[in-house]
Each structure stands twice: as structure tokens, then as C-alpha cells.
Amino acid sequence: DAKTTQPTSMDCAEGRAANLPCNHSTISGNEYVYWYRQIHSQGPQYIIHGLKNNETNEMASLIITEDRKSSTLILPHATLRDTAVYYCIVRVPSQNFVFGPGTRLSVLP
Amino acid sequence: AAGVIQSPRHLIKEKRETATLKCYPIPRHDTVYWYQQGPGQDPQFLISFYEKMQSDKGSIPDRFSAQQFSDYHSELNMSSLELGDSALYFCASSLGVLYQPQHFGDGTRLSIL
């Protein structure tokens, strides 16, 4: 699996957009980008995934650069409940996920 | 929507005892994964099963074994428990092993005294 690099921590004001970057410069052509989050020892929660096109669902948007070497997860209106560790994972189909270390996002009132 | 069910939620054992953790995947999901998360650590992959066959193996100790049954539920069997086995154990399921995301249960917290 390609290595990913994420900021250790980030702060975001409640109600503002949270933009979480992820660098995956060694990603290969068939590796997908997945985002998960973990809220205080709960099970990791799936957010979104993509291959090369931008994706959007009810939780977030995923923007992948054209060269696929980096991506950004966007939470459009962050709430206090979005405070969590966010993991960016790249994975070849059929392989397991490698977590860590992720970005600790703190949403501030 | 139905989620991944893990039981028990909490388990306390003593050293050298055995433990069995159970996982019931989301209906129609045919692939199950097990992860271990120690205190202050990130989840680490242990083992996975697709259609009742082991599909991948990670850092699972030889003292641990797992299987997936005909109804797709899975059990993680742990023997000769050590203090270092105290952790959260997560199960995840997916539809197939390719690109579909894994969906995680709420975990079993195992404490070894």
C-alpha cells in the first residue's frame, strides 16, 4: 500500500468547512483513496472513497488532484460531533486497510 | 440500516485464559475483517475471510485463530491470553474484497487482568 501523509492535528471553527489534506505521492493506478474517522474508541466510520474522480455524499466531499498524488476531504459545515481522528488510506483492491496515524480534528465552538 | 454486530462488548479475562469474540456482518456481506487496537494506537489488521476462506493475514499471533461460518458470521479465538492482548477488537464487513468499503462494528473491549 502507498504511504500517506496527513497533518497530525487541525482545528476548525464550528459551522465552517473543514478541509483535511492527505498526501499520497506514491499511489499506483489501481489504488483507491478511502477516508475513515474514529470518534473516541468507537469503531472506525466509513466516510467516502474514490479512485480519480471527485466524490460527494451526505457526509463529505473528496477532491482528488488530477495527478492523484494528493486529496482533500471536505466536511462542509463542521459540528462539534465531527471532532475525531480522520484516516486517509490508499489501498489496492482486495488488500486490507493500513491505518495511521491520521489527523486529529478538533471542532471548536 | 443494519450494522456489524460484535459480542460481547466488554470482556474481562485473566492471563492464560481463552476468549472467543463474535462478529455478525451486515446482511449480504460476504467478507469479514478483524482488527486490534491497543491503547493509544491505530487499528491493526489481523485477518480476513471471504466466502468462508481466509483471504489475508496480518499481524495475528499464533495464539489466535479465526474462522468464518456458513452464515458468514466470524469468531476470533484467543488462547493463552497475555496482558498485552488488552485492546479493542474490531470486526468489519464488506461486500466482496475488491473496492467496496469496510464497515466496522463498535468493537469488543478485552481486558486481561
Side-chain angles (χ1 to χ4, degrees):
Chain A
D1 288 343
K3 281 194 169 182
T4 61
T5 304
Q6 299 178 250
T8 302
S9 63
M10 294 181 62
D11 291 339
C12 176
E14 188 177 19
R16 304 296 295 269
N19 295 277
L20 292 92
C22 179
N23 184 290
H24 32 79
S25 57
T26 59
I27 193 169
S28 60
N30 63 342
E31 285 186 304
Y32 282 72
V33 180
Y34 296 79
W35 282 84
Y36 281 78
R37 72 181 182 184
Q38 188 173 29
I39 300 172
H40 195 265
S41 298
Q42 296 179 18
Q45 180 186 23
Y46 165 73
I47 301 173
I48 199 167
H49 76 288
L51 181 61
K52 51 186 174 182
N53 297 323
N54 297 337
E55 302 287 346
T56 295
N57 63 21
E58 64 278 3
M59 288 183 68
S61 295
L62 172 60
I63 308 298
I64 303 174
T65 58
E66 194 168 341
D67 63 8
R68 304 212 318 126
K69 293 185 176 182
S70 65
S71 60
T72 300
L73 177 74
I74 301 173
L75 307 179
H77 305 286
T79 71
L80 299 179
R81 287 177 293 181
D82 292 322
T83 293
V85 176
Y86 286 76
Y87 295 100
C88 168
I89 302 168
V90 294
R91 167 186 179 249
V92 174
S94 81
Q95 286 190 348
N96 64 82
F97 285 159
V98 177
F99 284 87
T103 295
R104 185 171 298 276
L105 175 68
S106 298
V107 180
L108 307 175
Chain B
V4 175
I5 306 296
Q6 292 189 245
S7 68
R9 292 296 310 279
H10 304 272
L11 189 59
I12 299 175
K13 291 287 184 178
E14 296 192 354
K15 286 192 304 184
R16 293 180 289 277
E17 286 191 322
T18 61
T20 297
L21 309 185
K22 296 185 178 183
C23 170
Y24 297 87
I26 292 172
R28 296 196 306 115
H29 282 195
D30 51 15
T31 308
V32 169
Y33 311 80
W34 287 96
Y35 291 81
Q36 178 192 58
Q37 186 173 26
Q41 298 180 359
D42 301 307
Q44 287 228 324
F45 170 73
L46 292 178
I47 196 167
S48 63
F49 293 86
Y50 168 64
E51 284 290 347
K52 292 150 279 183
M53 299 287 290
Q54 181 180 307
S55 55
D56 201 0
K57 190 172 181 179
S59 51
I60 184 169
D62 292 340
R63 299 177 289 108
F64 295 4
S65 65
Q67 58 181 322
Q68 185 180 32
F69 295 86
S70 57
D71 64 351
Y72 296 104
H73 94 272
S74 178
E75 295 183 2
L76 178 65
N77 299 294
M78 311 159 73
S79 63
S80 303
L81 288 168
E82 304 173 355
L83 293 177
D85 297 328
S86 293
L88 275 166
Y89 290 84
F90 292 109
C91 172
S93 73
S94 68
L95 184 60
V97 295
L98 294 179
Y99 58 88
Q100 291 298 327
Q102 299 174 21
H103 296 275
F104 286 75
D106 287 333
T108 293
R109 183 176 294 278
L110 176 64
S111 300
I112 310 300
L113 303 180

